[in-house]
Each structure stands twice: as structure tokens, then as C-alpha cells.
Amino acid sequence: MKSKKSIIQSAVRTLELEAAAILNVARNINHDFEKVVSSILQGKGRVIVTGIGKSAIIAQKIVATFNSTGTPAIFMHAADAIHGDLGMIQVDDIVICLSKSGNTPEIKVLVPLLKTSNNLLIGMVGELNSFLAEQADLILNTSFEKEACPHNLAPTTSTTAQLAMGDALAICLLECREFNEADFAKYHPGGSLGKKLYLKARDLALSNEKPSISPAASVKDVLIEISKNRLGAVAVVDSANQVLGVITDGDIRRMLENNDSIAGLKAEDIMGRNPKSIQFNALAVEALDIIKQNNITQLLVLEQNTYFGIIHLHDLLNEGIV
């Protein structure tokens, strides 16, 4: 059993080796990389990413990142390719083949078959003096010094280099396409990530009641309106539905602490006159930022200057935005 110190040293050594590999990938970005990006941008087809073993797993991740950032891509396992999956490659597709050594038997069988179809072949390879590197039209150099594995066997540093190169490609393509948050939301509609990108303040406000009261309303009417709608607040509005202020549970408590008699008090006497608000078409995540920054639990929603509704912190919690 290793000591605590040696365990920590092992982890640090692994991360330092992999960090060095990523830095080496950065140094190897060259004109071929630029040609790969340009070819994909100008291409009319998809990007087919293939590999064998651990490289195949990295290839799948690269495909997932491409697809989610606006570059249509398909994963093709190198072993399955020579048993029928080559049929998925169409005339205008570009093929990226991942391999640590560039000399595995499956790659040596696959590459000549890919070359016969005249598709652009990109080799993401760690060994430049290899079969894949020699046959590829363009090379993405993922060479590295040694694996993090102490026996220099288990793919670790090599796959980190491939993963980093794939991310560099995806982000370059994203930026060249000016792929923005709205585009990202289109491909990520599910889960909390999707909601942060498309859920609007109006969507949350519409699911709540719309408590409001006139500035001349009595304290009793204020209490009834707040209790009835269970949002802990009520908007004070004029006859044109313009917001004059807001009354929260906290305002009620402060009123009771500061006044021996509340009989003559009206809504306008206890309301906050500069309530925090957000426009109805703003993202819900922006509402969360305002709530956090001001340490509040309710936020008024406006349509231009007109009262639209209220968002409560619980609404954001329920949607998984927080």
C-alpha cells in the first residue's frame, strides 16, 4: 500500500505529464491545422471521426463536441468500418482518423479503403513516422514524450493530447462560425444547461399569480393580497399598471416593528419605492444574478414599464437554474 505522500506524488506526476502533453499540442499547431479548419468550414458534408481502442472513445467525445457546437459529425469505429460501416461515408464528408501509433492493423486496413473514396483524410496521430501520417492528406500532430502510465503502456497522455486537439478544433470552428448562445441553446434544450440558455423571465412569471394593489390600499388589503398569492410580495401599481413600488413580507415586519398603530397606514406608506426588476424577455439566469446580487427573494417582471408579474427564488430553484 502506497503512503499518502506517494499517492499525492503519483497524481501530481500524472497531471504534470498530461499538462506537458497539452502544451506540446499547442506548439504543434501549424498550417495543417488551419487547413483542417478551413476545409471543414468550406465542406458540404459531415465530419466522420474514427479510431480504435482508447482513441475510439476520444473520437466519440470529439463527435459529441462537434455536434453540440455546430459542426455535424458522426463517429465510425475503425474495426466496424471494414465490416460495413464504411457505407456511412458520403462523397463530401471529411474523415478524421485518430491513432496513437498510426500503425495498428485496423488502421492499416482502413486507410487504403478511405483513400479510394477521395474523401479528405486527416490523421490525428502521435507518431509522425507512421503509416497513417504518411497516407493522410493533412496531419494534426498529437505527439507526446511518454504515457503517464509508469510502464509507458496505458493510453493516458496520448489520449489527453487527442482530446485537447479535438477541443481546439471544435472551438476554432465555433468561433469561425460565430456560433452564439442562441445557437448553443438550440442544441442543448434539455436539463439545467438548456434552461439557462432559453428559459425567459416571462416563462417563470406566467406560472405565478400576479399580485398587485393600489397605493391607497389599506394594510389589511395588502396582507390579504400577499397571503392569497403566496409569493411573499405584492406590486403597488397605478391605474395604468405602472409599477410604483413593492411590498414584501420584510416590509410588513418592519412596519409592525416601527408603528404602534397601523390603522391609518396605506400601501404607499410602507412600500419600497425602487424595486428591483427585470424585463420580461430577459433570460431567467439574469433574474437569478439580480436576486443574488441584491440578496432578495422576489423580483418584479416588467414589459417595458408595465407590470408583468413576479419571479420568486423558489421558481429558479424548481427549474434547476440555481
Side-chain angles (χ1 to χ4, degrees):
M1 177 68 181
K2 280 182 172 289
S3 66
K4 291 181 180 179
K5 182 178 180 180
S6 62
I7 289 172
I8 291 172
Q9 289 174 338
S10 175
V12 170
R13 184 187 66 85
T14 298
L15 293 173
E16 287 177 345
L17 284 170
E18 297 198 347
I22 293 175
L23 290 176
N24 194 55
V25 168
R27 287 190 288 268
N28 289 333
I29 298 296
N30 55 20
H31 192 50
D32 268 18
F33 182 92
E34 184 275 327
K35 285 183 177 179
V36 170
V37 172
S38 297
S39 298
I40 294 174
L41 288 171
Q42 296 167 11
K44 298 178 182 178
R46 307 154 302 173
V47 179
I48 310 296
V49 189
T50 186
I52 191 80
K54 302 300 187 296
S55 293
I57 296 172
I58 300 300
Q60 291 179 71
K61 192 276 178 186
I62 292 173
V63 164
T65 303
F66 278 172
N67 283 324
S68 68
T69 53
T71 298
I74 295 178
F75 169 69
M76 179 181 70
H77 197 283
D80 293 335
I82 59 179
H83 293 285
D85 281 6
L86 274 173
M88 73 172 62
I89 302 177
Q90 299 177 4
V91 174
D92 294 320
D93 292 341
I94 293 171
V95 180
I96 300 177
C97 184
L98 278 65
S99 178
K100 170 185 171 180
S101 70
N103 289 314
T104 57
E106 293 85 356
I107 296 299
K108 286 187 172 182
V109 173
L110 175 62
V111 167
L113 298 173
L114 294 173
K115 295 290 286 184
T116 61
S117 63
N118 293 319
N119 294 86
L120 180 67
L121 175 60
I122 299 160
M124 186 184 294
V125 61
E127 180 55 65
L128 298 185
N129 296 317
S130 65
F131 181 79
L132 175 58
E134 291 172 357
Q135 296 296 314
D137 299 305
L138 296 169
I139 296 174
L140 297 172
N141 184 354
T142 54
S143 57
F144 60 99
E145 183 178 348
K146 63 178 180 178
E147 299 286 11
C149 166
H151 310 298
N152 198 29
L153 295 174
T156 45
T157 310
S158 58
T159 48
T160 298
Q162 291 173 342
L163 186 64
M165 182 66 83
D167 285 344
L169 264 181
I171 298 306
C172 281
L173 290 164
L174 176 152
E175 291 178 345
C176 288
R177 288 194 170 97
E178 298 183 349
F179 192 88
N180 58 32
E181 289 184 350
D183 297 318
F184 201 78
K186 184 168 64 175
Y187 297 117
H188 297 77
S192 60
L193 174 60
K195 288 180 179 179
K196 286 181 181 179
L197 294 169
Y198 75 81
L199 194 67
K200 301 290 183 70
R202 64 169 178 255
D203 301 321
L204 296 175
L206 285 171
S207 65
N208 292 328
E209 298 294 332
K210 189 178 175 180
S212 64
I213 204 159
S214 74
S218 67
V219 170
K220 178 181 178 181
D221 289 337
V222 171
L223 290 170
I224 291 172
E225 187 69 8
I226 289 179
S227 300
K228 180 176 66 176
N229 293 287
R230 298 183 179 181
L231 289 169
V234 58
V236 182
V237 299
D238 61 19
S239 57
N241 205 32
Q242 305 285 299
V243 173
L244 303 175
V246 68
I247 301 173
T248 67
D249 288 338
D251 294 321
I252 298 296
R253 287 193 296 273
R254 285 185 286 275
M255 173 199 67
L256 294 173
E257 290 172 357
N258 297 329
N259 294 275
D260 294 328
S261 173
I262 62 172
L265 293 178
K266 299 186 182 334
E268 61 186 350
D269 299 322
I270 60 174
M271 69 183 184
R273 295 181 179 273
N274 295 296
K276 300 300 178 184
S277 64
I278 190 169
Q279 286 297 313
F280 79 116
N281 58 354
L283 289 171
V285 70
E286 296 175 45
L288 175 62
D289 289 339
I290 295 173
I291 286 174
K292 283 183 174 179
Q293 290 168 10
N294 294 280
N295 195 28
I296 56 179
T297 54
Q298 304 95 350
L299 184 65
L300 297 188
V301 181
L302 307 181
E303 184 174 4
Q304 300 302 324
N305 296 317
T306 303
Y307 176 51
F308 186 86
I310 289 181
I311 292 175
H312 194 283
L313 176 60
H314 289 160
D315 300 325
L316 297 161
L317 287 168
N318 290 337
E319 292 291 346
I321 301 294
V322 178

